[in-house]
Amino acid sequence: MKYIKDIRETDKIQQNFLCRKKELGKKQSGDDYYNLLLIDKTGTIDGKIWNTDNPAIEEFESGDYVYVEGFVKNFNQRLQITINRLRKLKEDEYDPEDFLPSSTQNVGDMYRELMGYIKEVSNPYLSALLNSVFIEDKMTAKAFSEHSAAKSIHHAFRGGLLEHTVSVTRLCRAFADNYKMLNRDLIITAAMLHDIGKLKELSDLPENDYTDEGQLLGHIYMGAEFVGKKIDEIVNFPLKLRNELIHCILAHHGELEFGSPKKPALAEALALSMADNLDAKMETLNELFNTAVDDGWLGFQKNFESNIRKTSGN
Amino acid sequence: MKYIKDIRETDKIQQNFLCRKKELGKKQSGDDYYNLLLIDKTGTIDGKIWNTDNPAIEEFESGDYVYVEGFVKNFNQRLQITINRLRKLKEDEYDPEDFLPSSTQNVGDMYRELMGYIKEVSNPYLSALLNSVFIEDKMTAKAFSEHSAAKSIHHAFRGGLLEHTVSVTRLCRAFADNYKMLNRDLIITAAMLHDIGKLKELSDLPENDYTDEGQLLGHIYMGAEFVGKKIDEIVNFPLKLRNELIHCILAHHGELEFGSPKKPALAEALALSMADNLDAKMETLNELFNTAVDDGWLGFQKNFESNIRKTSGN
Amino acid sequence: MKYIKDIRETDKIQQNFLCRKKELGKKQSGDDYYNLLLIDKTGTIDGKIWNTDNPAIEEFESGDYVYVEGFVKNFNQRLQITINRLRKLKEDEYDPEDFLPSSTQNVGDMYRELMGYIKEVSNPYLSALLNSVFIEDKMTAKAFSEHSAAKSIHHAFRGGLLEHTVSVTRLCRAFADNYKMLNRDLIITAAMLHDIGKLKELSDLPENDYTDEGQLLGHIYMGAEFVGKKIDEIVNFPLKLRNELIHCILAHHGELEFGSPKKPALAEALALSMADNLDAKMETLNELFNTAVDDGWLGFQKNFESNIRKTSGN
Amino acid sequence: MKYIKDIRETDKIQQNFLCRKKELGKKQSGDDYYNLLLIDKTGTIDGKIWNTDNPAIEEFESGDYVYVEGFVKNFNQRLQITINRLRKLKEDEYDPEDFLPSSTQNVGDMYRELMGYIKEVSNPYLSALLNSVFIEDKMTAKAFSEHSAAKSIHHAFRGGLLEHTVSVTRLCRAFADNYKMLNRDLIITAAMLHDIGKLKELSDLPENDYTDEGQLLGHIYMGAEFVGKKIDEIVNFPLKLRNELIHCILAHHGELEFGSPKKPALAEALALSMADNLDAKMETLNELFNTAVDDGWLGFQKNFESNIRKTSGN
Amino acid sequence: MKYIKDIRETDKIQQNFLCRKKELGKKQSGDDYYNLLLIDKTGTIDGKIWNTDNPAIEEFESGDYVYVEGFVKNFNQRLQITINRLRKLKEDEYDPEDFLPSSTQNVGDMYRELMGYIKEVSNPYLSALLNSVFIEDKMTAKAFSEHSAAKSIHHAFRGGLLEHTVSVTRLCRAFADNYKMLNRDLIITAAMLHDIGKLKELSDLPENDYTDEGQLLGHIYMGAEFVGKKIDEIVNFPLKLRNELIHCILAHHGELEFGSPKKPALAEALALSMADNLDAKMETLNELFNTAVDDGWLGFQKNFESNIRKTSGN
Amino acid sequence: MKYIKDIRETDKIQQNFLCRKKELGKKQSGDDYYNLLLIDKTGTIDGKIWNTDNPAIEEFESGDYVYVEGFVKNFNQRLQITINRLRKLKEDEYDPEDFLPSSTQNVGDMYRELMGYIKEVSNPYLSALLNSVFIEDKMTAKAFSEHSAAKSIHHAFRGGLLEHTVSVTRLCRAFADNYKMLNRDLIITAAMLHDIGKLKELSDLPENDYTDEGQLLGHIYMGAEFVGKKIDEIVNFPLKLRNELIHCILAHHGELEFGSPKKPALAEALALSMADNLDAKMETLNELFNTAVDDGWLGFQKNFESNIRKTSGN
């Protein structure tokens, strides 16, 4: 199978896609056309069906897996497929795996790395908690490997939650190395659990959209409540430690205006919030640079309140 | 018993107080003195022990109930007691009731009013929830009648939480009368429960200070989690309704920067947040006007970003 | 007459509209077309004239009442009329009443309700003032019943100013019930007069746009000046009361950054500003929900800094 | 008469002052003392009466003119008078002129300069307006020469309003020279009238405090209303010009959050707001430098959000 | 040569332009077209090539000087040229001077005015500095006469930097006249040099875009560093004066959030920042009014946070 | 020598201090006293001279090293020395080393660690730059080891600049390990040089106050200019790399409002700004916890906009 990342200008297309969006457009002649967003696990590309009466275009909806024939044009530095033929695929004609945007890193490796960090936690209560969430609770463990960490912008792909969690945990370990003041067990546990509420805030891929519950309650509250329930199943879990850990989760956005109901009041909560922020920013830059056509200035980026470019020699 | 609100300049004092604060001061001659904050249920007054070696001053600590002799002076428009004699009271010499700042309204009446509003709720799940919290859960019901709603500023007295809750509920009923769009059962239930997390955020009177848990988690999270647990004990409570109610609690501060992890996304959550805000502001004004020496301008009030005065003819 | 709110996809159209906007578009073939906004008292719909040389399209301008023939299409969930024939109506062919967006409530009923509130005001000076504005000043009284309260967003329809004023007055009465501290006569008077400056800030319907004076001075200043002049015609109106009432008008946006030159410095001014804010928000939600295609999430709403949805079971 | 600006450390004092403030202090021995603020037209100095039972200290109140005997000490780089004798002056014993902080510029000269600018205005309506305010309205003209322009900070002295007005008018003339786009008559008229509301916002010197009306309505509204009334007495004053001029007054604080109910919408309003801002800042710096003990850094100045110092070689 | 400012609707075009932008568009029929931005020294106009296969359209790129034939249409109050024929000009067929947007003022006159101000500076070190930059450094002097002062918005034309600098210097001279406290030599020198970093922040016209260095370092830093180097070539230039002058350059945006690394700490720095701000705002208004189709309200202008209109009678 | 950190309540004092501050106070009896701030390298303590006429108190000034006799009292949880005898030390009676607050880490070790990081830099230009600053420029190298990194708050002690620089460099190395996108040589070089401007922004210890130049220009500009000059001495240093490195220094405060004239536009600049921020916050917490009397809540900390406490079990 040829992937979107390998499509080039003037290519002739004869391959499968997941159709993520299907919008009706209208030519100003008054005629309709369709504007599609086609994806596979390596990227996205626009598709255009200029003639909606074309008998070679079969019935399909957004969300369907489709076979497409057409050719590629460069329209203002962006590729698009002019589609001549399209049909909906049967379930046995495709592997959904091929159409999910996914982490470029190996999910198994990342999960093993995470398991390694659990073993570093010596506090018996925190250790028990991490085991109960990431090992004994099979459903959570499985979901955690596959979930995205965002609807869009950064880590919005399969394994994104895991990739982000591993990266934040690595940073927090480095912080604990540098600052003896930090309680290593607490910050590592908090790092691993900080975004666990996203399992229910965002629906599963490929939909990957906010759930009703996610809109109303948010992953910060949901994660804290989830961890609270898990803790309550552990005998004699110290109340003070419970409050400190849940505080780290509540405060991990760092600022009230970013949705944390409490500002960080503990060194670990503060350091975790900065690791989370750094990782989100670095991955956002990474995705920006990866989709850029060249290494020049990318124009004003609202997220960074600045024009941005890749560093020379990188 | 004579109350603080009745003390006047040049009075001779021979009565009991609760000593809320005891601080060591130092005269610039190098000698020590004590600065006390004395309270009873009607107010507060400063006390000074200029001679710490006075044998008529017995051992006591902040938090003790004490008998005091002395005389009253006006120091820059503020009364203070110069103390000549002081002794710690025995438990049978005072009634703690007399020393708690309290709502000026009758607690029983207010609770009955609240019970009346519960009866208005026709949704069986919300009705069951209110019954479980305010009637079946005796400890919560009792605590709810007595708790303060704040450490300072507004409703920081016995019955304050109840008084504030009743007032907000009244406002929300009026809003539901005026806006047919509002789900009356939902907004009334949310109004009654919105500050229930304060039972654990603030310690009991007379201490009335933030608990460790309160500092780390805050009453918004704690209230939402408490209500969530109560709901989970009710069979078949609809998930959508659960999320909507908890959303109202999470969003009741109206703005992220005021500690709500979610902005109001439902009409009821928005209206509740405005009722809560209005009641806090009105009671703050009320307390300001009550403690003012006259009806003139009170000077710049940071809470209101304005100089403030009582309206003429009121 | 068939109304816009009853138009459905694929309908054939043969009816009258007010043409609110007429813009020249250009097809990318280089040919022109016209893009119209057609309204009646029940709503708005787009119209397209693809062929500008069509002899069945007569001369007309934005602001004209027109008869239209065509058919309805659904273009991305939004209806539009492809127009084949259009002619300007003569004055005796239509009733302007049918083309003005209007309050869904009865103007007469609302005005009578307002008159009832005037009778509740016992302060003779405030009573005299309200009578002079709403009863003796026939022109103001009439204009007040018909005016819109906004150019767009909320209450931007005939009777909107009256509807908003009645609703804010109801809220202020409820506040006065709940807070004995409030001067009932003052807050009711201020509620009735707070937006009176809008009579001159916005031109009459159907134009309903900012006047030159409205742009330069704003309804807050204009309303205060208007009320000041009316007061000056009343013998012995107390100066302090004059200043308090005008202050309530000046401060009714609650914050300097919302255009009030003074922050609320009186309890009534503060409560009024919150009633005004609540009513604007509730009506905005109401209009959002009424125009929504379903009861799901409506997407991020800038006014509320949140995604919004209708509450379930409403 | 010796002036405060000439008092030096260790001087013996035998002279008259206006007592601006009289506060009761308490030594920590429990004894009372008085803390005074003494002023004359050249400055202010602290006074201390350590022994309140001293028979040489006669009865007096804040606001009285007093004769004082004592000696000067330097207390942490600030002079203060230890007072041994004090008596209230009779009305014929002092000239209030000597005790009012005043502009260092000649009031007559400044007023003549202002009159000169009126003559430059050729628009007959604006010319008539300026004449009616500054020449025909004797009371306003007189008050305008004597009033302060602020309660504290900048131009808080006799002639301060005039000095500020002349300076802002000069700047606006320079702006009109530099920018042909500016309507010279309009901006000069607006400059002369922009702060006229201060005549009623602040009480007369020596009190110089906010009036009740000033607190509730503010000089921006009061000035606009005053000018509006003056305009309404001029036959055929063009409405558009009236609105433009009043807009300039309303918008002269430049930002909503500084109390202007409208942002500048005309070039003249914008330029005037910047002239007003510049003059306030320059005079604030001037007063800071004049009261500084040396030319070094003055420490963080909240008004300027910066540490500040005088430029070298000035 | 006919200029863009003289082109009218329905004109037939046969003239030269500089093509500033050339973008590929796509008609919804699927065919391509070109969208051009054509400029000369008097303005800009859109051009459309509907048929990209037209043999009368020769090869050209953005940045080329071209001869164009076509006709003018009014498209929604904006003129555009439908192009039938186009060819690239040879170097000897045009004078680049004719195609650069330029100051409406005479560059020579402005430079002479600036030279005059240099002669007013009596401080020998500042005088030497100005001579070294504006007279001895021929390259800088020449570039300074021709450079633009902005990429867009205000002074984005040839001579713009000079025009802005002269205007700010005039304002600062007026400020020095009005405020004796200001060090005239310092503020005049700072005014002349404040934007000198723009020579390297923006590339030369006609490109006039941010350089890589400009994006990374900004004209504030670059100007300060440039002036610092020039100063270091002057023997015995006083260190304190060096720091004061460079401070004025660093602080000339007035606020940290506008890119000054230091808030103004000297009176001259503060006054300069306000002159710079005023001149930018006035020229922005000027350009807005010049390009407006009439004298009415121009709609909300984000730069001014207000709707804006020209003053009547101007 | 006994150190301040070892002083306990009721101790008798006979030892040397550096007198950092000497202020005249006045007892309310009218008599003077002196208030001293005494320091040594382990901390600070207050001193009081109640009798200024005491012949056992010799002449001395702030900045002198002094021998003190007296006794220690606990005044509201803070120790202070009542001083009976004091004399100024001669130069040979003390070692200034003993009186400078210093890093708790070994300066030599830290400098060696920094040298190790220089060796990791493989880019020849960056390597040459680091060598020229930290090795060849002996004066800078020496000053860098001893300088403080702040006037107060965090790292305000000898070796503070070095300690902060090493810590930030460690963090940046960890970031480079975690994010392959980062140019390791650039971020390490920028980390080492980011605060080098502090060498001239703050005067040497023990004064450690802002220099005139520091106030006017700030360490961000001064550091960038210093590095620019050092680069200009290196042959063929690539311009693009120069601009990138200086950008990292200019942008290292992360936000314009924190004094960076440019927001981070490169990944390395962004990551460096977050490392700098994290290190400042962690060290501030560390100093807060070290000076706290117990492990409980420390009260609202403005820097963190939160109440703060040490984590349990740390």
Side-chain angles (χ1 to χ4, degrees), chain A residues 123 125-126 180-187 237-245 247-248 265-268, chain B residues 212 216, chain F residues 289 294-297 308-314:
Chain A
N123 179 294
Y125 301 104
L126 296 175
K180 297 314 168 200
M181 164 182 59
L182 294 173
N183 180 327
R184 174 181 282 265
D185 283 356
L186 177 60
I187 198 171
F237 198 105
L239 179 60
K240 203 157 195 177
L241 185 60
R242 181 192 201 272
N243 292 336
E244 290 174 339
L245 177 60
H247 171 76
C248 289
L266 304 172
E268 292 78 11
Chain B
D212 188 65
L216 289 170
Chain F
F289 293 150
D294 61 36
D295 287 1
W297 290 95
I308 294 282
R309 78 159 162 80
K310 221 170 174 164
T311 303
S312 65
N314 260 18

Side-chain angles (χ1 to χ4, degrees), chain A residues 166-168 170-171 174-175 177-184 186 240-241 243-244 255 263-268 270-271 274-275 277-283 285-286 289 297 303-314, chain F residues 166-168 170-171 174-175 177-184 186 240-241 243-244 255 263-268 270-271 274-275 277-283 285-286 289 297 303-314:
Chain A
V166 167
S167 181
V168 169
R170 280 183 201 150
L171 292 172
F175 295 172
D177 288 345
N178 201 35
Y179 301 109
K180 297 314 168 200
M181 164 182 59
L182 294 173
N183 180 327
R184 174 181 282 265
L186 177 60
K240 203 157 195 177
L241 185 60
N243 292 336
E244 290 174 339
E255 301 286 342
K263 288 269 300 182
L266 304 172
E268 292 78 11
L270 183 59
M274 297 178 88
N277 189 14
L278 176 65
D279 195 60
K281 292 237 169 73
M282 286 294 121
E283 174 64 12
L285 281 182
N286 193 39
F289 292 150
W297 290 96
N303 280 334
F304 298 94
E305 293 175 310
S306 177
N307 198 338
I308 295 282
R309 76 158 163 82
K310 223 170 175 165
T311 303
S312 64
N314 262 19
Chain F
V166 167
S167 181
V168 168
R170 279 183 202 151
L171 292 172
F175 295 171
D177 288 345
N178 201 34
Y179 301 108
K180 297 313 168 201
M181 165 183 57
L182 294 173
N183 179 327
R184 173 179 283 264
L186 177 61
K240 202 157 195 177
L241 185 60
N243 292 335
E244 290 173 339
E255 301 286 342
K263 288 269 302 182
L266 303 172
E268 292 77 12
L270 183 60
M274 297 179 88
N277 189 15
L278 176 64
D279 195 60
K281 292 237 169 72
M282 287 293 121
E283 174 63 12
L285 281 182
N286 193 39
F289 293 150
W297 290 95
N303 280 334
F304 298 94
E305 294 175 310
S306 176
N307 198 338
I308 294 282
R309 78 159 162 80
K310 221 170 174 164
T311 303
S312 65
N314 260 18

Side-chain angles (χ1 to χ4, degrees), chain E residues 42-309:
Chain E
T42 70
T44 68
I45 193 167
D46 292 326
K48 303 285 177 185
I49 300 174
W50 297 117
N51 178 359
T52 54
D53 298 331
N54 181 344
I57 305 296
E58 301 183 4
E59 287 281 304
F60 72 105
E61 290 307 321
S62 159
D64 288 342
Y65 295 83
V66 292
Y67 167 81
V68 165
E69 288 184 13
F71 57 92
V72 179
K73 296 189 65 168
N74 173 337
F75 185 65
N76 279 341
Q77 313 311 318
R78 204 177 150 90
L79 301 181
Q80 69 178 212
I81 305 174
T82 299
I83 299 175
N84 302 323
R85 178 178 297 272
L86 180 153
R87 73 173 173 83
K88 194 174 158 180
L89 294 171
K90 291 174 215 145
E91 287 221 354
D92 61 356
E93 287 184 298
Y94 62 91
D95 179 354
E97 292 291 303
D98 292 331
F99 301 94
L100 284 178
S102 297
S103 173
T104 58
Q105 299 179 41
N106 183 284
V107 164
D109 290 350
M110 290 193 287
Y111 211 79
R112 272 183 293 279
E113 183 176 343
L114 206 67
M115 293 305 100
Y117 297 148
I118 293 180
K119 295 207 187 92
E120 293 178 13
V121 172
S122 59
N123 178 296
Y125 301 105
L126 296 174
S127 176
L129 174 64
L130 291 171
N131 274 282
S132 88
V133 172
F134 289 108
I135 298 176
E136 295 155 24
D137 180 344
K138 302 295 182 205
M139 268 180 56
T140 297
K142 181 169 180 348
F144 197 85
S145 292
E146 308 211 330
H147 221 75
S148 134
K151 185 183 165 188
S152 54
I153 309 191
H154 66 86
H155 297 103
F157 46 74
R158 197 167 63 136
L161 178 59
L162 178 59
E163 185 178 320
H164 172 62
T165 299
V166 167
S167 182
V168 168
T169 307
R170 281 183 202 152
L171 292 172
C172 286
R173 288 174 76 243
F175 295 171
D177 288 345
N178 201 35
Y179 302 108
K180 297 314 168 201
M181 164 182 58
L182 294 173
N183 180 327
R184 174 181 282 265
D185 284 355
L186 177 60
I187 196 171
I188 288 180
T189 304
M192 288 195 224
L193 294 169
H194 79 283
D195 263 353
I196 199 136
K198 288 199 171 165
L199 291 180
K200 287 162 84 183
E201 187 189 38
L202 293 163
S203 59
D204 292 342
L205 286 155
E207 191 191 49
N208 192 34
D209 202 352
Y210 289 104
T211 60
D212 188 66
E213 185 176 18
Q215 288 280 17
L216 289 171
L217 309 183
H219 74 276
I220 289 186
Y221 171 76
M222 288 191 288
E225 192 192 40
F226 171 86
V227 170
K229 284 182 179 173
K230 288 288 183 187
I231 287 175
D232 293 347
E233 295 166 3
I234 296 172
V235 181
N236 290 331
F237 199 103
L239 179 60
K240 202 158 194 176
L241 186 59
R242 180 193 202 272
N243 292 336
E244 290 174 340
L245 177 60
I246 293 184
H247 170 77
C248 289
I249 295 172
L250 291 179
H252 86 261
H253 277 196
E255 302 286 342
L256 301 187
E257 53 268 45
F258 299 156
S260 274
K262 280 283 175 185
K263 288 269 300 181
L266 303 172
E268 293 78 12
L270 183 59
L272 170 60
S273 74
M274 296 178 88
D276 182 48
N277 189 14
L278 176 65
D279 195 60
K281 291 237 169 73
M282 286 295 120
E283 173 64 12
T284 304
L285 281 182
N286 193 39
E287 297 180 14
L288 269 172
F289 293 150
N290 283 345
T291 60
V293 290
D294 61 37
D295 287 0
W297 290 95
L298 299 182
F300 186 80
Q301 303 295 317
K302 218 182 144 190
N303 281 334
F304 297 94
E305 293 174 311
S306 176
N307 198 338
I308 294 282
R309 78 157 161 81

Side-chain angles (χ1 to χ4, degrees), chain D residues 167 170-171 174-175 178-179 181-183 186 240-241 244 255 263-268 270-271 274 277-279 281-282 285-286 289 297 304-314, chain E residues 167 170-171 174-175 178-179 181-183 186 240-241 244 255 263-268 270-271 274 277-279 281-282 285-286 289 297 304-314:
Chain D
S167 181
R170 280 183 203 150
L171 292 172
F175 295 171
N178 201 35
Y179 301 108
M181 163 183 58
L182 294 173
N183 179 327
L186 177 60
K240 202 157 193 178
L241 185 59
E244 290 173 339
E255 301 287 342
K263 289 268 303 180
L266 303 172
E268 293 78 12
L270 183 60
M274 296 179 89
N277 189 15
L278 176 65
D279 195 60
K281 292 237 168 75
M282 286 294 121
L285 281 183
N286 193 39
F289 293 149
W297 289 97
F304 297 94
E305 294 175 310
S306 176
N307 197 339
I308 294 282
R309 78 157 161 82
K310 224 171 174 164
T311 303
S312 65
N314 259 19
Chain E
S167 182
R170 281 183 202 152
L171 292 172
F175 295 171
N178 201 35
Y179 302 108
M181 164 182 58
L182 294 173
N183 180 327
L186 177 60
K240 202 158 194 176
L241 186 59
E244 290 174 340
E255 302 286 342
K263 288 269 300 181
L266 303 172
E268 293 78 12
L270 183 59
M274 296 178 88
N277 189 14
L278 176 65
D279 195 60
K281 291 237 169 73
M282 286 295 120
L285 281 182
N286 193 39
F289 293 150
W297 290 95
F304 297 94
E305 293 174 311
S306 176
N307 198 338
I308 294 282
R309 78 157 161 81
K310 222 169 175 165
T311 302
S312 65
N314 262 20

Side-chain angles (χ1 to χ4, degrees), chain B residues 167 170-171 174-175 178-179 181-183 186 240 244 255 263-268 270-271 274 277-279 281-282 285-286 289 297 304-312 314, chain C residues 167 170-171 174-175 178-179 181-183 186 240 244 255 263-268 270-271 274 277-279 281-282 285-286 289 297 304-312 314:
Chain B
S167 182
R170 280 183 202 150
L171 292 172
F175 295 171
N178 202 35
Y179 301 108
M181 165 183 57
L182 293 174
N183 179 328
L186 177 61
K240 202 157 194 177
E244 289 173 340
E255 301 286 343
K263 288 269 301 181
L266 303 172
E268 294 76 13
L270 183 59
M274 298 179 88
N277 189 15
L278 176 64
D279 195 61
K281 291 236 168 72
M282 286 294 121
L285 281 182
N286 194 39
F289 292 150
W297 290 96
F304 297 94
E305 294 175 310
S306 176
N307 198 338
I308 294 282
R309 78 159 162 80
K310 222 169 173 165
T311 303
S312 65
N314 260 18
Chain C
S167 181
R170 280 182 202 151
L171 292 173
F175 295 171
N178 201 36
Y179 302 108
M181 164 183 57
L182 293 174
N183 180 326
L186 177 60
K240 202 157 194 177
E244 290 174 340
E255 302 286 343
K263 287 270 301 182
L266 303 172
E268 293 78 12
L270 184 59
M274 297 179 87
N277 189 16
L278 176 65
D279 195 60
K281 291 237 169 74
M282 286 294 122
L285 281 182
N286 194 38
F289 292 149
W297 290 96
F304 298 94
E305 294 174 310
S306 176
N307 198 339
I308 294 282
R309 77 158 162 81
K310 223 171 176 165
T311 303
S312 65
N314 261 19

Side-chain angles (χ1 to χ4, degrees), chain A residues 146-183:
Chain A
E146 308 212 331
H147 222 73
S148 133
K151 186 183 165 190
S152 54
I153 309 193
H154 66 87
H155 297 103
F157 47 75
R158 197 167 63 135
L161 179 58
L162 178 58
E163 185 178 319
H164 172 60
T165 299
V166 167
S167 181
V168 169
T169 307
R170 280 183 201 150
L171 292 172
C172 287
R173 289 173 77 243
F175 295 172
D177 288 345
N178 201 35
Y179 301 109
K180 297 314 168 200
M181 164 182 59
L182 294 173
N183 180 327

